[in-house]
Amino acid sequence: MKSFANTVNGRAVSSVNGFESKNPATGEVLGLVPNSSAEQVAQAVAAARAAQPGWAARPDAERKALMMKVAEVIKGSAEYLAEWVTREQGKPLGGVGPDQVPGARFELWGCEVWTQVPASLDLPVDVVFEDATRRDEVHRKPFGVIAAIAPWNWPLLIAIWQIIPSIRAGNTVVIKPSEYTSIGTLELVRLMAEALPPGVINTVSGGGEVGGFLVENADVDKIMFTGSGATGARIAAAAAKNLTPTTMELGGNDAAIVLPDADPKAMAMGLFWGAFLNMGQTCACAKRLYVPESLHDAVVAELKALAEAMPMGNGMDAGIAMGPIQNRMQYDKVVSLVEQAKAGGATIVCGGKPEEGPGYFYPLTLVTNIADGAALVDQEQFGPVLPIIKYKDVESAIASANRLDAGLGASVWSADIEQAKAVASRIQAGTVWINQHGAIHPMVPFGGVKGSGWGVEFGTDGLKAVTQPQVISIKK
Ligand code: NAD
């Protein structure tokens, strides 16, 4: 079995202990991943610390050029890395472009774009005050060493979101991939690191314990975390001991509200992918759908037709639109939530029964006759199941959207943009999309409120989040 290695200070580092990475579609063992020791984590942080001043001191144009080289490396290795994403995470290879399934090739295309865009952004000196007596400038300085902890759903794209703005701003990075999807990230960073000075990007693989070694390290200057709220709370507690600042991109339970004037046919495809992108294993997927009584049956019929038409299987095979759920824990959670809904009297419109055979396959499932308070509505399912809840008036739908301690995304669907905007502004979420859901963009800030976390990524605001302001105040 092939063993993979971490990258620390530009060198391959293996560990005495390792663990297997498995293909969720087949159960096949894909390779052996090093389980980093506490000492190895400390060495990786030390390497990042040593490399940081030199990296930050480089002329801006030089750092930008190196990052554009990194984008070329990603492009050149896209097929190799996409295959790792499919084998390890499960999403189909798919294609790139408007008519293609947004799968692993789409993820790699995203990695390239989310590298090019921050590489081309600047944070110029901001003169915040000036008169005859004084001039006050705000400069942006890197934090130093950034610790990044990533989840398994979009393993390479989320790693890129954490790494690229950080190094663009002059920080160095130590990233711990999810234990479920380590190989793709180890390979991505290995290839990227070849284009960068040693120590600028480093990896430490392992489970939660290894993540703990990293976030508890007093030499880490900022933590970027993407994952569940429960883990976020543990990391925030660890960070508090050293007063380490954090960005928390946590789970969501996005509401999608269809207004009574919406056209079920016109919005069906957008709504479908808004809910089922990556088998629903996306932080900002629509996870509960609120529809007016008048449109309920038409919306359900449109979504059912799409759900039943999507071929599911091993993502390495051609023509597959949906892969497996990524891991056993998530699969069991989905099964349990659907079984609880059934026991509570909900209607299973399609799906609802686990598939036979190897792999964590679960059919796309629509659930009706369900209400707020049911576990499937109130908890983040993070899987291929959408509860559809009837509402009587828009006020009650807004109240439903806001009643949970989650606020990552939400969406409003309507033919009348002004009306949709009026509803959107009353929803407690970091982003409210109108007539689309989950439509993130590298120039547009993205982040949650309430239990979905704090801080933003992407665009100029995302770049600011990996820097600290320094005021230079000049007496005239
Ligand atoms: P998770 O919280 O179980 O794990 C995330 C990462 O944290 C993994 O790398 C894990 O090893 C690490 N970890 C676990 N315990 C740790 C500890 N004590 N200290 C340090 N690190 C530790 O999350 P997951 O199951 O990988 O991902 C699914 C969750 O992530 C969902 O809730 C989803 O909504 C959320 N998510 C959020 C966003 C976002 O941008 N807001 C994006 C993707 C996923």
Side-chain angles (χ1 to χ4, degrees), residues 425-445:
S425 71
R426 295 178 57 202
I427 297 178
Q428 297 159 0
T431 304
V432 186
W433 288 283
I434 293 176
N435 295 330
Q436 52 186 358
H437 197 114
I440 54 170
H441 187 282
M443 284 301 289
V444 181

Side-chain angles (χ1 to χ4, degrees), residues 118 121-123 164-166 168-169 458-467:
L121 289 178
D122 292 304
L123 290 176
I164 294 295
S166 298
R168 167 73 190 94
F458 311 166
T460 308
D461 287 325
L463 207 49
K464 282 185 180 166
V466 284
T467 65

Side-chain angles (χ1 to χ4, degrees), residues 4 6 11 15 84 153 232 242 271 276 285 315 319 372 457:
F4 292 82
N6 278 299
R11 285 194 294 269
S15 298
W84 270 116
N153 57 339
N242 297 321
L271 202 47
F276 290 107
C285 261
D372 287 354
E457 296 182 307

